[in-house]
């Protein structure tokens, strides 16, 4: 096991920078591929794709593919195509999520669907998903294709499950975990695993990479769900309280509901269950979270998964890439954005 | 060249039945796979998928894959997986189209999005698209994967182009052809081609199959666009005049606009261009079509492409499968639904 202190020794904000610096050349190639594959003679496609892809984001998922491949001793450049592919899958799901959630802000800007309409967001999402598929065919590995195809199906299942559990403040932790394992962790897991598969590493190592990505994805999403209530809106780059307005049964709500009095549960049933919300309700939700330590509990669970992620990489030889990937796990649960 | 008479000798309505009868065992396996792959522990997925997949439709695209493979002498069963894959791609695009078009009827029933909402339609469409991807990975052929990945990207491009040309009655025939080559013909072409690729046939034969599918798809869509105005609503199973209400610049409109007087063009500019439509406008559109023979001209162009489709198969040895595939081309341009 990695002692938790070893990860904490690197200031978390620098952990992502360290990984990016280590993989700067690879990432430049990934960015080149992303720009090349978003091109199309149909002008609206690069226009809309550029808006969402160029908006930045952390590019965490492609970094996992690049870092895993390099840690495994891969010395080619095909991992860049897979990293771009992973980012395209992510971007396509963002476009479709925004349609679904009717979000107004993403990464601090208007969502694409608010600018171009739902129709364009759905179809350009489909285009980017198809592009991801073309990129992974280029890898020439059926194992890689199978992993990413399975991840895509699992992501969609998680998104649909989220839709069916929305509006149920009494949703179980088990259902919530299934949602985030699907909508988030499946792609993190696949992103890390394909790095090892491309490098031709044995099954046990590929499985360890998968566990790393899976645990990291769960930790990441738990923090996302905590930050949706706790973050500074400017730093987060999206609206605080979106999940509340969208009646999502995320971990903070599930914890507060589980520990709540009958009167408190009636509050959650009205606001999340029936969607009957007043302006003052978000502040009341915060008071209930504070009373039951719901945001802290969400953070604690996130940290447990981040530690499991770091520990999963202990089977690899020590080195700069392993350290950076393990530190990223600490970053994910310490980030404020 | 196949003389046009040889195709016309089979009553078109029976041509599809003949192909279905010839491939009945294969099609049973395709239907089994479709049912198996639409399953998911997330209950809403099979529920919604069953609604749209079980609604039937002609299953024309999977029949092309099956027929092409058998005509090429393929004697395995892997072509059934590809046929199911092709149907899933088609179904996913239908689900996303319905979101986009806000159509109220599809195959004579309420659209899925009218029943379950846009959110579920987008996400279950994504799930089916992912499933199509899993099915094609099972084929184990990178050539097949490349063809289908390219087709998926081309479909999305066609759909986006359609979005950007909607509301322009002065759209060029060239733009219209690009739209239907993308949104319809690309999948027909890929469906036929992968049958030959799976059978290990030489490049020239696979290319001939591709030409067959491409021409057939163009003919099919031209007829669809004609039937959208001309069909008996009950037989078609969807609303007549949908394209008019959705302001699509389809071939009948392009023909009538091109041949129209200044006053007639003003009518199209108002109804299609500005979307300012009165109840009596659809009848007026029909009068203008009749004046310029626009529906007949659309049918003539469709028949030309159907004849090219049939001719493309002349390089294959005569036999039941070739005859059935060639007759299907005649069916596509004689159908009333």
């Amino acid at each position: 096991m990695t002692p938790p202190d070893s990860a904490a020794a690197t200031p978390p904000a620098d952990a992502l920078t360290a990984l990016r610096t280590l993989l700067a050349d690879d990432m430049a190639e990934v960015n080149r591929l992303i720009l090349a594959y978003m091109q199309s003679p149909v002008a609206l496609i690069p226009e809309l794709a550029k808006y969402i892809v160029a908006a930045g984001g952390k590019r965490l998922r492609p970094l996992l593919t690049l870092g895993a491949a390099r840690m495994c001793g891969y010395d080619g450049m095909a991992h860049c195509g897979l990293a771009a592919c992973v980012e395209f899958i992510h971007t396509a799901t963002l476009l479709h999520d925004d349609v679904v959630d009717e979000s107004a802000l993403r990464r601090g800007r208007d969502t694409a669907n608010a600018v171009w309409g739902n129709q364009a967001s759905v179809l350009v999402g489909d285009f980017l998903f198809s592009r991801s598929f073309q990129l992974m065919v280029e890898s020439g590995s059926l194992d890689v294709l199978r992993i990413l195809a399975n991840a895509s199906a699992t992501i969609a299942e998680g998104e649909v499950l989220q839709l069916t559990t929305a509006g149920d403040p009494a949703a179980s932790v088990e259902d919530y975990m299934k949602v985030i394992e699907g909508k988030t962790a499946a792609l993190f897991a696949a992103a890390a695993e394909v790095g090892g598969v491309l490098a031709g590493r044995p099954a046990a190592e590929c499985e360890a990479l998968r566990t790393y990505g899976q645990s990291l994805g769960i930790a990441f999403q738990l923090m996302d769900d905590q930050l949706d209530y706790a973050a500074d809106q400017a730093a987060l780059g999206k609206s605080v309280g979106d999940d509340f307005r969208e009646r999502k049964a995320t971990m903070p709500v599930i914890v507060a509901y589980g520990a709540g009095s009958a009167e408190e549960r009636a509050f959650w049933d009205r606001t999340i269950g029936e969607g009957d919300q007043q302006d003052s309700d978000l502040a009341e939700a915060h008071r209930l979270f504070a009373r039951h330590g719901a945001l802290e509990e969400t953070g604690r669970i996130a940290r447990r998964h981040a530690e499991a992620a770091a520990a999963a990489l202990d089977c690899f030889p020590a080195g700069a890439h392993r350290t950076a990937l393990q530190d990223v796990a600490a970053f994910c649960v310490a980030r404020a954005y």
Side-chain angles (χ1 to χ4, degrees), chain A:
Chain A
M1 288 287 291
T2 306
D5 286 351
S6 79
T10 305
D14 289 348
L16 194 56
T17 308
L19 189 61
R20 281 196 187 122
T21 305
L22 206 54
L23 299 163
D25 291 349
D26 291 355
M27 205 59 209
E29 172 63 8
V30 172
N31 286 328
R32 191 191 68 75
L33 285 169
I34 286 174
L35 278 171
Y37 274 78
M38 71 168 70
Q39 294 313 309
S40 163
V42 180
L44 179 58
I45 291 175
E47 191 184 335
L48 196 154
K50 194 178 163 187
Y51 183 84
I52 184 152
V53 172
K58 298 179 227 5
R59 298 271 160 94
L60 188 50
R61 295 158 188 82
L63 284 168
L64 297 185
T65 302
L66 298 176
R70 292 303 189 203
M71 180 179 70
C72 288
Y74 180 71
D75 62 3
M77 286 304 278
H79 65 327
C80 295
L82 293 183
C85 159
V86 162
E87 185 69 4
F88 272 146
I89 294 176
H90 173 55
T91 308
T93 62
L94 284 188
L95 275 170
H96 287 184
D97 273 2
D98 284 342
V99 171
V100 165
D101 293 345
E102 293 167 5
S103 318
L105 283 177
R106 163 86 62 188
R107 293 172 184 164
R109 312 196 302 168
D110 288 343
T111 53
N113 69 316
V115 179
W116 282 277
N118 278 344
Q119 309 186 335
S121 290
V122 170
L123 297 176
V124 175
D126 289 347
F127 177 80
L128 294 178
F129 195 45
S130 301
R131 280 291 199 233
S132 79
F133 182 12
Q134 292 179 308
L135 276 161
M136 67 186 95
V137 171
E138 292 309 310
S139 80
S141 160
L142 283 167
D143 287 333
V144 160
L145 281 156
R146 189 169 294 110
I147 291 164
L148 290 166
N150 292 347
S152 297
T154 305
I155 292 168
E157 280 181 329
E159 298 272 6
V160 178
L161 185 61
Q162 174 169 269
L163 198 64
T164 55
T165 58
D168 180 12
S172 66
V173 171
E174 197 189 347
D175 270 347
Y176 169 78
M177 292 302 287
K178 271 189 208 151
V179 167
I180 71 173
E181 282 167 19
K183 74 171 191 167
T184 308
L187 188 56
F188 276 70
E193 186 181 8
V194 296
V197 171
L198 191 68
R201 303 304 307 167
E205 289 184 19
C206 295
E207 188 57 37
L209 283 167
R210 180 170 190 80
T211 303
Y212 165 78
Q214 177 85 6
S215 300
L216 184 63
I218 293 170
F220 184 87
Q221 187 60 52
L222 279 159
M223 283 308 293
D224 235 37
D225 292 348
Q226 189 216 55
L227 287 168
D228 191 86
Y229 286 103
D232 171 44
Q233 183 157 326
L236 188 64
K238 60 179 186 181
S239 320
V240 166
D242 269 351
D243 288 349
F244 186 73
R245 282 182 288 273
E246 290 161 18
R247 305 163 59 194
K248 284 186 189 164
T250 59
M251 188 63 96
V253 172
I254 293 172
V255 169
Y257 190 90
S261 66
E263 190 188 346
E264 290 173 14
R265 289 188 176 194
F267 167 82
W268 296 115
D269 288 334
R270 171 174 63 80
T271 54
I272 301 286
E274 296 158 29
D276 172 11
Q277 300 188 358
Q278 318 295 326
D279 281 350
S280 60
D281 284 336
L282 184 57
E284 174 64 10
H286 273 283
R287 276 190 293 276
L288 298 183
F289 289 152
R291 182 172 305 159
H292 301 291
L295 298 180
E296 294 75 9
E297 174 63 9
T298 301
R300 258 194 303 277
I301 304 170
R303 278 191 295 281
R304 270 210 306 276
H305 286 280
E307 283 160 23
L313 297 189
D314 285 346
C315 64
F316 291 93
H321 290 100
R322 191 186 84 170
T323 301
L325 287 170
Q326 290 180 319
D327 287 349
V328 159
F331 156 75
C332 278
V333 289
R335 68 199 170 100
Y337 60 96

